[in-house]
Amino acid sequence: MLHTPSGYWDPLLWILALIVAILIAYIIRGFGRKDYKGGEQSKPFLSGMDIPDEKELHIRAGNIYWGFMEGLEGYYDIMKKIHTGVVNDYVAWFLGVSALLFIVILIVGVT
Amino acid sequence: MIYNIPFIVVVLLIIVGLATVVFKRNLIKIVIGITIIESGVNLFLITLGYRENSVAPIYTFAPSTKMVLPVPQALTLTSIVIGVAVMALMLSFAIRIYQHYGTLDSRKIRRLRE
Amino acid sequence: MNMNWLLTHSPALLIAIPLLAAFLTPLIDRLSKRARNVLVLIVLITVEVVMIVLAWDVFTGNTHIYTMGASNPTATIPVQAAIPIRIVLEVDGLSAFMGLISATVSLAAGLYSLAFVRRETGQGRYYTLLLLMLVGMLGMEFTGDLFNLFVFLEILSIASAALIAYRFYRGDAVEGAFKYFVISSLGALMVLFAIGLLYGQYDLLNMAALAKVMKYTMLDKIALVLFIAAFAMKCGAIPMHMWVPDSYTVAPASITAMLVVASQVSLYALFRICFSLYGLTLDVTTVGIIIISLGLLSMFVGVTMALPQKDIKRLMSYHAISQTGYMLLGVGVGLYLIGKPEFSTYGVVAMEGGIFHIFNHALYKGLLFLTAGAIFYKVKTRNLNEMRGLAHSMKFTAIFFMIGAFAIAGIPPFNGFASKLLIYESVYCVSPILSIIAMLVSIITLASFVKVFHSAFMGPPMRNTKEGEVPKSMLIGMVILTVGIILFGLFPGWVVDHIVHPAAQALADQAAYIQAVIGG
C-alpha cells in the first residue's frame, strides 16, 4: 500500500477490482443472444471498399499518427531544424545553456 | 597583477579551445580544441598550488620549508593521464570515421540526426 | 571472513572486484572463452549479492564510510589533521539505491551479452569495458571526494564511448561514439574546472567537508553553473540531449541498457551536488525552477520527438530523455520546496517519486532496449517500417515488450504507475500545470509504444526471418528485469518505505551527510 498526499494506491486491491469488473462484464455478455453469429454485421467495414486479404494487411510504422505529425507540422519543422546531427552544434547548445544558467544564477538569482 | 597572468592564460586557453570545438569543422581540429581546453584546465589546477619562492613538495633534504601544494600536482598528473586516453580514443574514432565516410568534415558526418 | 568484515570493506570491494576482474578478463580470454564468460558472470553476481547486503544495511539506517588506505577505514580524519585528507567513500541511502540499480542492470546486461555478442570479434575487450563501466558507475555513486568523482566520470565515459563504437565496422557506430565522446569529455573538463574553483577557495576536495564550509560566493555560483550544465548534459536533459539518441541507437542493446543507468548516475551526481554539496546555502528557488524547467522541457520535447521516429532504438532513446524529465521534475520540486513548510508533505513525496522513478526507469527502459536488441538480433534491422508480425515467432520477447511498454506508459499495476502517481500527486503543489503536462506526456508515451507494438509485433509474419525465439541467455537477461518490474509494481508501498524513503531522506538531510564524515 502506497500512501500519496491525497489518497493511497494498492495494486493488489486494484487487481481484485479488475477481476470483479471482468467477471461482471462476462456475466452481462452471457445475457446476449447466442444465435447471432455470421452475416454482414460481423465483417470489417472500410467505407464500402473491398477489404484486402487479411493475411497481407499491415500498416507500416511510417504511416501511423500521420495526422498528428501533419497537425503539428510547424513544431516538427523547427525540431528538425534543431537536430542537425553536426557535433559542433551539440557543443554550441551546451555552451548556450551554460551561458543562460550563468545569467539566471549569477545575475537574476541574486535576490 | 603578475600573479594573475596564469589565470588570464587559463581563460584564454579555454576560450580558444571552445571556439575551436564550436567553429572548426574538421574532426581532428575538434580533438585539438578539446586538448587545448584540457591544457587550460590543467594549467588552472597547477597555478592554484603555486607559491612564490617555494620548492617541490619533497620533504627529504628540502632547502626551505616553503613548498608548493602537492595536491593540485597530483590532480594535474591524473588529469593528464586521462587526457591522453581521451585524445587517443578520439583520434582512433576519427580514423575509423574517415575510413567509413571518406571525409573528416563534421557537416558531412551526420547519418544520425533528427 | 565474517559478515562484519564484509560489511565494513564492501564499499571498497564493490569497486575493487570488478576493476581487477576487468583487467583479468583479456588474460583469461586468451586461455578459454568459456572461462572468461564464467568469470564475468561470477563477478557480476558477486557484485549484485554484496551490493544487496550492503544496501540492506544502509537502508536500515547505517551510513557506511570507508577511508581508502587507512588502517582503520572508518576514521576519516587522520590523527594529525583537521580535515579528511584521504579519499573517502560514503555510502548513504541514495548511493546504495543507485548502486543497486547499477548492479542489477549490469547483471542483466552481462547475461544478455553472452548470446548477443556471440558472433562478434573482440569479446574479451567487450567484457573488460563492460566491467569498467560498472566500476565507473559504482565509483561515482560511492565516492565522497570531488576529484574522485571526476576520475570515475572519465572512466565511465571512456568505457562507454569505446563500447558504443563496439561495432566499429559500421560507420554510424563510430560516428555516435565520437559525438558522445566529444560532448562528454567537454562536460567532464567543465566539472574539473569547477572542482578547481572550489579547491582554490576552500583547499578541500571532500564533499562533506566542503559542504560544511560552503559560503555560496560568486566563485561557488560559477562552479555550480558548470556542475549543473555538465551533469544535466550528461543525463540527457533537453536542449543538450542530441548525443543521447545518436549514441543509444548505435550501441549494442546490452550496452544501451547500461548507458541508461550511466545517464542516471550523472543525474545522481547532479542531485548530490545540489543537495549534499550546496544544500541550503544555494538559492533553492532559482535552482529548483531551473531543474523543474529542464525536466518539463525534456519530458515534452522528448516524447514528441519520439513519436515520428522510424528507428526502434532511436524512438526508445527519446523516451529515455522524456522519462529523465520526470526524475528532474520530481526531485526539482523537492529542491524548490526544501526549507519551506510544504516540504514535509509534498516535497518529500515529490522527491520519493522522482527517485523511485530512477529505479523503475532503469528496469523498464533496460528491458525495452533489450527487447529491441532481440528484434535486431533476429531481423537485422532497426527500421520499424521493415518489421511486422514478429509476435508469431518471438512470443516471449513480445510479452516482455508489452510489460515494458505498459510500465513506461504508467499503466497500473506496473511499476511506472506507482512512481508517476507519486509525482502527479505532489508536483501540483508548485503549479497544477506540472501535473497536467506530466500526464499528457504519459499519454503520448503510450501512443508511441502502441505504434511500436503494432508495427513490430502485429500483422502477418515476415517471410525472410528465421523462425524461433532468441537464445536463452538473452531471455534470462530480460526475465531479471521483468521480474523486477512486476515485483516493484505489485508491492510499491513496501519498496517506497524500505528502499526509496531512505534514499530520499539521505538526499534531503545534508547535515547527516556532513556528520557521517566530519562527525559532530
Side-chain angles (χ1 to χ4, degrees):
Chain A
M1 183 116 79
L2 180 65
H3 289 279
T4 59
S6 46
Y8 67 92
W9 162 241
D10 191 342
L12 300 176
L13 213 63
W14 185 85
I15 290 174
L16 203 73
L18 186 74
I19 292 171
V20 169
I22 290 172
L23 229 82
I24 292 170
Y26 187 75
I27 292 165
I28 293 173
R29 187 175 179 274
F31 291 131
R33 280 173 57 183
K34 304 231 166 11
D35 57 331
Y36 195 75
K37 276 201 183 113
E40 280 298 311
Q41 269 80 358
S42 64
K43 280 184 190 153
F45 179 73
L46 190 68
S47 309
M49 291 191 293
D50 284 337
I51 306 292
D53 186 9
E54 229 173 84
K55 292 229 157 44
E56 289 305 315
L57 191 65
H58 183 66
I59 299 164
R60 284 159 69 249
N63 300 331
I64 301 176
Y65 301 133
W66 173 84
F68 187 86
M69 271 28 116
E70 203 70 4
L72 291 176
E73 210 183 350
Y75 170 77
Y76 279 112
D77 280 348
I78 296 171
M79 281 297 144
K80 270 183 187 151
K81 224 172 257 169
I82 290 173
H83 292 78
T84 52
V86 180
V87 67
N88 306 87
D89 296 352
Y90 295 12
V91 177
W93 274 105
F94 172 60
L95 294 181
V97 172
S98 307
L100 194 71
L101 288 182
F102 264 112
I103 293 167
V104 172
I105 290 183
L106 264 68
I107 297 164
V108 184
V110 194
T111 44
Chain B
M1 178 60 210
I2 190 103
Y3 301 111
N4 284 335
I5 286 178
F7 292 109
I8 295 167
V9 175
V10 165
V11 173
L12 280 179
L13 274 176
I14 291 180
I15 289 174
V16 167
L18 286 177
T20 316
V21 178
V22 175
F23 294 115
K24 290 291 170 188
R25 302 294 185 177
N26 189 314
L27 294 194
I28 304 282
K29 286 182 182 167
I30 292 173
V31 177
I32 293 174
I34 296 276
T35 322
I36 293 174
I37 301 172
E38 194 208 309
S39 316
V41 176
N42 285 343
L43 182 63
F44 176 61
L45 287 177
I46 211 85
T47 317
L48 286 178
Y50 181 72
R51 298 289 177 272
E52 208 188 345
N53 294 329
S54 52
V55 296
I58 303 165
Y59 271 98
T60 327
F61 305 123
S64 78
T65 48
K66 213 175 176 191
M67 294 173 183
V68 295
L69 266 177
V71 177
Q73 300 197 345
L75 305 189
T76 314
L77 210 55
T78 318
S79 164
I80 289 171
V81 172
I82 292 172
V84 171
V86 168
M87 188 166 64
L89 193 56
M90 269 191 197
L91 287 175
S92 57
F93 286 156
I95 295 170
R96 284 286 174 192
I97 288 178
Y98 188 76
Q99 283 173 356
H100 286 291
Y101 291 76
T103 174
L104 281 173
D105 188 340
S106 65
R107 279 164 300 184
K108 294 189 182 114
I109 301 163
R110 43 183 206 148
R111 280 184 208 168
L112 302 163
R113 59 180 154 147
E114 279 169 32
Chain C
M1 195 159 76
N2 57 23
M3 202 63 185
N4 258 332
W5 183 90
L6 180 72
L7 264 181
T8 313
H9 293 273
S10 52
L13 283 176
L14 279 171
I15 296 173
I17 293 173
L19 188 63
L20 291 177
F23 294 109
L24 205 61
T25 311
L27 209 65
I28 299 203
D29 181 59
R30 297 250 158 195
L31 304 174
S32 146
K33 309 280 177 225
R34 187 174 284 270
R36 177 206 62 207
N37 289 350
V38 171
L39 171 80
V40 172
L41 275 191
I42 288 176
V43 168
L44 288 174
I45 292 171
T46 316
V47 168
E48 172 80 17
V49 170
V50 176
M51 192 63 235
I52 289 173
V53 171
L54 171 66
W56 191 247
D57 195 53
V58 171
F59 292 146
T60 49
N62 309 314
T63 300
H64 277 246
I65 301 290
Y66 194 90
T67 316
M68 292 299 227
S71 51
N72 174 16
T74 49
T76 51
I77 302 175
V79 185
Q80 301 99 333
I83 50 163
I85 291 172
R86 293 193 171 96
I87 291 171
V88 177
L89 302 180
E90 177 165 9
V91 186
D92 64 359
L94 189 65
S95 311
F97 180 81
M98 295 299 299
L100 264 184
I101 298 175
S102 315
T104 311
V105 176
S106 303
L107 178 61
L111 270 167
Y112 185 89
S113 307
L114 292 183
F116 189 63
V117 296
R118 200 173 41 188
R119 292 178 224 142
E120 312 271 353
T121 55
Q123 285 180 48
R125 275 155 282 172
Y126 174 89
Y127 288 109
T128 306
L129 290 166
L130 192 138
L131 288 175
L132 277 180
M133 268 184 90
L134 178 59
V135 171
M137 291 194 253
L138 289 174
M140 275 181 77
E141 287 150 8
F142 289 175
T143 189
D145 183 278
L146 271 181
F147 188 74
N148 211 17
L149 182 81
F150 164 76
V151 172
F152 281 116
L153 179 70
E154 281 286 27
I155 290 178
L156 181 56
S157 30
I158 291 174
S160 312
L163 278 176
I164 293 168
Y166 181 60
R167 296 205 185 95
F168 61 85
Y169 48 83
R170 297 168 63 102
D172 54 359
V174 190
E175 182 194 335
F178 185 84
K179 286 174 179 173
Y180 167 78
F181 206 34
V182 166
I183 194 102
S184 84
S185 47
L186 186 68
L189 284 173
M190 292 300 130
V191 169
L192 182 59
F193 190 72
I195 292 170
L197 283 174
L198 291 179
Y199 182 80
Q201 283 186 87
Y202 301 109
D203 275 350
L204 284 169
L205 286 171
N206 186 284
M207 290 206 271
L210 262 172
K212 198 175 181 185
V213 294
M214 183 63 72
K215 291 191 195 68
Y216 203 47
T217 58
M218 196 49 135
L219 284 177
D220 291 340
K221 284 181 190 169
I222 297 175
L224 178 71
V225 169
L226 293 173
F227 277 131
I228 292 182
F231 284 123
M233 183 268 291
K234 288 277 289 176
C235 74
I238 283 179
M240 301 173 284
H241 65 287
M242 279 86 160
W243 63 269
V244 174
D246 290 358
S247 54
Y248 282 19
T249 309
V250 292
S254 42
I255 298 309
T256 315
M258 305 256 305
L259 280 173
V260 171
V261 186
S263 298
Q264 284 166 354
V265 175
S266 301
L267 199 68
Y268 159 84
L270 176 66
F271 296 159
R272 186 56 97 198
I273 299 275
C274 286
F275 282 89
S276 299
L277 185 61
Y278 284 83
L280 280 172
T281 58
L282 61 73
D283 183 357
V284 284
T285 315
T286 313
V287 179
I289 289 175
I290 287 172
I291 292 183
I292 292 172
S293 23
L294 280 176
L296 282 182
L297 258 181
S298 305
M299 268 157 61
F300 187 74
V301 179
V303 82
T304 47
M305 281 306 290
L307 212 48
Q309 297 301 324
K310 292 173 196 70
D311 183 317
I312 181 165
K313 281 178 81 182
R314 209 170 169 79
L315 185 143
M316 290 180 180
S317 324
Y318 276 110
H319 279 298
I321 296 169
S322 142
Q323 299 299 312
T324 309
Y326 279 95
M327 303 157 204
L328 286 168
L329 174 66
V331 182
V333 166
L335 184 64
Y336 178 81
L337 290 177
I338 203 166
K340 297 189 179 80
E342 293 96 336
F343 183 74
S344 54
T345 48
Y346 292 99
V348 170
V349 177
M351 277 171 72
E352 280 174 0
I355 290 170
F356 191 17
H357 206 65
I358 297 179
F359 209 146
N360 292 338
H361 178 238
L363 290 174
Y364 58 63
K365 184 55 78 177
L367 177 65
L368 285 171
F369 274 121
L370 294 188
T371 56
I375 293 171
F376 181 75
Y377 184 85
K378 277 284 165 200
V379 191
K380 298 277 171 262
T381 176
R382 294 190 306 257
N383 192 337
L384 281 169
N385 281 338
E386 294 163 19
M387 300 174 191
R388 57 180 187 168
L390 291 172
H392 289 279
S393 57
M394 303 166 75
K395 292 192 175 57
F396 289 110
T397 311
I399 292 170
F400 293 145
F401 180 88
M402 269 177 90
I403 291 175
F406 280 149
I408 194 175
I411 304 279
F414 295 102
N415 61 357
F417 176 74
S419 51
K420 283 184 182 179
L421 184 73
L422 285 177
I423 294 175
Y424 299 153
E425 289 210 353
S426 54
V427 296
Y428 69 77
C429 170
V430 175
S431 162
I433 299 192
L434 303 184
S435 292
I436 295 170
I437 294 180
M439 286 183 213
L440 181 72
V441 168
S442 210
I443 295 166
I444 308 180
T445 306
L446 181 64
S448 76
F449 274 97
V450 167
K451 163 182 163 175
V452 178
F453 188 77
H454 174 86
S455 46
F457 291 103
M458 310 259 271
M462 285 169 77
R463 284 193 205 84
N464 49 0
T465 43
K466 277 175 278 175
E467 282 296 307
E469 188 54 78
V470 290
K472 278 210 186 60
S473 98
M474 288 168 73
L475 287 179
I476 296 170
M478 293 191 260
V479 164
I480 291 179
L481 296 178
T482 312
V483 169
I485 290 175
I486 291 175
L487 284 182
F488 274 37
L490 289 184
F491 306 102
W494 188 89
V495 174
V496 168
D497 286 346
H498 292 88
I499 299 178
V500 179
H501 187 71
Q505 210 56 49
L507 200 52
D509 192 355
Q510 192 199 14
Y513 184 81
I514 298 173
Q515 199 208 344
V517 171
I518 307 286

